[in-house]
């Protein structure tokens, strides 16, 4: 995606706003990740937020001086800060400053490794919600059996609640993300439930089922109905829609299971001298496996439903992980995803007012879907 | 557990009630699983429910005639039957008959591979809920990093809702299950949430946090507070308490992730001739891994909160899986788990009436915990 779009945008380099603080490994790792990405992508420019003196040293060391503009911000949002208190007193933090670069139009997208709750609340306050969106969502890419290798799941924790209207918006936003982020022209959307029969589940899910069914055609996605936990990594759909409570627990359960199996696998191969020999011979195969499930490959939850795109990298991300989050942010900005999503939500909001009409088209004039 | 208890019970063999129908693979597989278990355990007797003529042939083939009593039941509950209609018209089914053997005191525990929803509803109707339990739960054993190799999670789908009082009962029932099923004298209980801070999550979770905290000491378990999805397979606690909606999705997400990694692992080892050689040499290690995560090793959700124990085997279980479910049922019956759980719930219900007193003891007179 990157190389193709680079040509068309060569004249006007994209600017990414990077919060250098708040990650578990400190700003040196963030800058190292930035350098990794900058080596692969010669176009992008960066605004880096944090304590100027410290960042200058790091940026010089990586020879990024010409592509990085530093915004001094002495405050740091820690993992334990309450979102509400960051909102009240966090004006001097690197996180606040990183979001304001997007708010002020200086950067196309913001990336942070910091406290998720604080980043979400600050994003809502500084960037504001898109008209028509009541609850923004965090979307992640999840390894799957589908040809594209990943499914989109949302919400994974922006809000612990979601009513039927919110779930409809998640379907629209998730489909838009899958279209732009995974290059799927007509994504298949599923609604997460405890069974696939239409009579199952909570009241808001049955209502959301109806709402999403009615909107699918006009918005260029296919609705496969209810799906179950096993379908998150399956091939029945490309986008899994759920509330942030369930989505967060599903995400962490899946990560925990993968990590447990990884440990068991290492232990199985360390069991005896013979199995250690087998492990040596299997190294290539095991690396091939690792590459497919490595969470650093697609690191980053994307905040959807705001006036501006924010990518939340894993707090514990190493340089490879940070580079992947920055790349995701860059790709989304390049595709004009933010504007397309906003147009999609606005069009759906109009459509909801005229239910049975077929007015909103699912094809833009240039033949691409938003 | 089996061999030790066999001695004390030698005079009075336990009887297990087995639903021969409703599994995806038909009654031949159920009887094959029964035969596997019967070979390991020479004591147990069985009441087998289903079409008599068909079952007689299968039982004779496995030479189980002396240990199996057949109860003719011509009706079968299919996976697609609505629970409510089974309740109205299912009197002639093998599932109904299997539960009635427990209800009538002819068998200590029932095992079925059939439709979960129908089995739960019929169990509630035929066995009735324990006094003090509003919502029964389904508990499963989940591979974990703990020394005992498994954690207990409940509810995984008996009910899609749970209020704070229900979650408290799940904590009591789950602790009791871990004590009797995993031999943990003081199980550590965690309440599933989207974060570990006490201010996080839905209102009923905060309320349940208080209720469980107040009951932990008197009921012989440790409450570790909120836990996250990653802790289901972790070592922070032994029992994970959650509502049946979240638990069902977590269970299926974990199973789906494990299955996806298994597929990736096979593909990684089938990639090239060299990796296929490596796979051959790794066979022992891979089997060691398989044995630790094989769901058939601990097959069976246990219905808790009823007057009688019901074990739900996976519908797709093969003979090995069926044997594991029957063994789990046998072990639970041997340990007198049903009575202990009932006593525990009754004592907690009393304690709730006299909040601050220390009246209910957590030790029985013989020094064991219930």
């Amino acid at each position: 995606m990157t190389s193709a779009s680079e040509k068309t945008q060569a004249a006007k380099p994209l600017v990414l706003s990077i919060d250098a603080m708040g990650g578990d490994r400190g700003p040196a790792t963030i800058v190292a990740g930035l350098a990794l990405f900058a080596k692969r992508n010669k176009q992008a420019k960066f605004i880096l937020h944090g304590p100027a003196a410290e960042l200058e040293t790091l940026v010089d060391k990586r020879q990024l001086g010409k592509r990085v503009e530093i915004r001094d911000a002495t405050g740091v949002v820690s993992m334990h800060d309450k979102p509400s208190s960051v909102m009240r007193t966090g004006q001097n933090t690197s996180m606040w400053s990183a979001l304001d670069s997007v708010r002020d139009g200086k950067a196309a997208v913001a990336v942070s490794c910091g406290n998720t709750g604080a980043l979400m609340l600050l994003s809502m306050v500084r960037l504001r919600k898109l008209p028509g969106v009541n609850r923004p969502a965090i979307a992640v890419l999840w390894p799957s059996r589908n040809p594209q290798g990943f499914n989109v799941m949302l919400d994974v924790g922006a809000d612990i609640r979601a009513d039927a209207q919110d779930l409809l918006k998640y379907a629209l936003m998730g489909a838009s993300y899958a279209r732009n982020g995974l290059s799927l022209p007509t994504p298949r959307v599923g609604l997460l439930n405890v069974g696939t029969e239409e009579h199952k589940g909570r009241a808001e899910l049955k209502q959301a089922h109806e709402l999403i069914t009615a909107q699918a055609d006009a918005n260029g996605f296919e609705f496969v109905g209810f799906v179950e936990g096993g379908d998150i990594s399956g091939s029945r759909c490309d986008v899994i829609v759920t509330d942030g409570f369930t989505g967060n627990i599903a995400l962490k359960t899946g990560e925990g299971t993968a990590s447990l199996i990884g440990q068991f696998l290492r232990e199985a191969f360390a069991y005896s001298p013979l199995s250690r020999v087998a492990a040596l011979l299997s190294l290539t195969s095991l690396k091939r496996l690792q590459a497919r499930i490595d969470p650093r490959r697609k690191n980053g939850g994307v905040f959807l439903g705001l006036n501006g795109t924010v990518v939340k990298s894993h707090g514990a991300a190493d340089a490879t992980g940070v580079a992947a989050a920055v790349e995701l942010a860059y790709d989304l900005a390049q595709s004009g995803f933010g504007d397309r999503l906003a147009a999609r939500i606005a069009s759906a909001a109009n459509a909801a007012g005229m239910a049975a009409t077929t007015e909103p088209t699912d094809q833009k004039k240039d033949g691409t879907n938003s």
Side-chain angles (χ1 to χ4, degrees), chain A:
Chain A
M1 190 194 291
T2 306
S3 61
S5 357
E6 259 172 30
K7 276 180 250 164
T8 62
Q9 296 275 336
K12 189 185 148 200
L14 269 178
V15 180
L16 309 179
S17 174
I18 316 283
D19 176 8
M21 312 304 289
D24 299 351
R25 300 170 185 236
T29 301
I30 311 284
V31 176
L34 204 57
L36 271 181
F37 171 75
K39 213 177 280 179
R40 294 199 295 263
N41 179 310
K42 306 288 182 198
Q43 300 283 328
K45 303 224 163 189
F46 313 96
I47 308 177
L48 193 62
H49 306 261
E54 187 177 358
L55 295 187
E56 265 159 30
T57 314
L58 293 169
V59 164
D60 285 349
K61 201 179 120 198
R62 302 281 176 181
Q63 300 173 314
L64 286 168
K66 283 182 189 162
R67 297 172 63 184
V68 172
E69 181 192 329
I70 292 170
R71 290 279 165 86
D72 189 39
T74 50
V76 175
V77 177
S78 88
M79 287 296 174
H80 303 290
D81 286 337
K82 272 202 179 186
S84 54
S85 72
V86 174
M87 190 183 72
R88 280 194 308 274
T89 63
Q91 289 86 345
N92 69 335
T93 60
S94 58
M95 185 184 279
W96 189 295
S97 179
L99 291 170
D100 272 10
S101 285
V102 174
R103 176 191 167 105
D104 300 339
K106 306 287 184 203
V109 51
V111 180
S112 175
C113 292
N115 182 324
T116 308
L119 184 62
M120 189 77 221
L121 187 57
L122 274 195
S123 298
M124 284 201 268
V125 170
R126 301 308 294 162
L127 303 180
R128 304 222 163 261
K129 294 183 276 190
L130 278 178
V133 172
N134 184 32
R135 290 190 165 94
I138 305 176
V140 292
L141 295 174
W142 184 290
S144 82
R145 289 197 164 82
N146 274 318
Q148 72 269 17
F150 291 87
N151 291 343
V152 172
M153 177 160 75
L154 76 168
D155 173 29
V156 299
D159 201 307
I160 54 169
R161 240 168 278 266
D163 64 21
Q165 280 292 345
D166 297 323
L167 293 168
L168 168 63
K169 301 295 153 51
Y170 295 175
L172 295 170
M173 299 195 297
S176 200
Y177 184 24
R179 220 175 273 125
N180 292 281
L182 296 174
S183 308
L184 299 172
T186 312
R188 295 162 303 155
V189 174
L191 184 58
L192 193 60
N193 199 350
V194 294
T196 54
E197 301 90 343
E198 288 192 21
H199 62 273
K200 283 210 173 178
R202 297 167 167 163
E204 73 265 28
L205 286 176
K206 292 176 214 174
Q207 208 189 329
H209 191 289
E210 285 176 30
L211 289 175
I212 300 174
T213 302
Q215 291 272 341
D217 279 356
N219 286 282
F221 64 86
E222 183 190 336
F223 182 47
V224 305
F226 290 137
V227 297
E228 299 185 86
D231 297 314
I232 298 174
S233 50
S235 57
R236 281 193 60 214
C237 60
D238 311 296
V239 177
I240 292 91
V241 168
T242 187
D243 66 274
F245 183 89
T246 310
N248 182 274
I249 284 172
L251 176 70
K252 290 179 179 165
T253 300
E255 287 174 348
T257 305
S259 148
L260 181 74
I261 297 176
Q263 181 189 322
F264 284 178
L265 192 59
R266 281 188 300 277
E267 288 174 11
F269 274 110
Y271 189 76
S272 69
L274 185 65
S275 61
R276 283 193 289 274
V277 171
L280 269 180
L281 286 166
S282 309
L283 215 57
T284 325
S285 297
L286 292 175
K287 278 190 177 153
R288 208 172 290 128
L289 170 70
Q290 173 74 12
R292 289 183 78 173
I293 58 167
D294 187 352
R296 299 177 310 169
R297 256 206 332 155
K298 289 279 183 187
N299 174 37
V302 179
F303 291 4
L304 302 177
L306 302 164
N307 292 299
T309 303
V310 177
V311 172
K312 163 69 175 75
S313 161
H314 203 290
D318 61 8
T320 307
V322 171
V326 174
E327 180 159 20
L328 177 62
Y330 182 85
D331 286 347
L332 287 173
Q334 274 287 14
S335 73
F337 168 64
D339 294 341
R340 289 178 179 216
L341 177 61
R344 175 64 64 188
I345 296 286
S347 140
N350 288 342
M354 22 183 142
T357 77
T358 53
E359 161 130 351
T361 58
D362 66 317
Q363 299 282 320
K364 298 200 347 178
K365 277 181 195 134
D366 61 358
T368 63
N369 264 324
S370 61

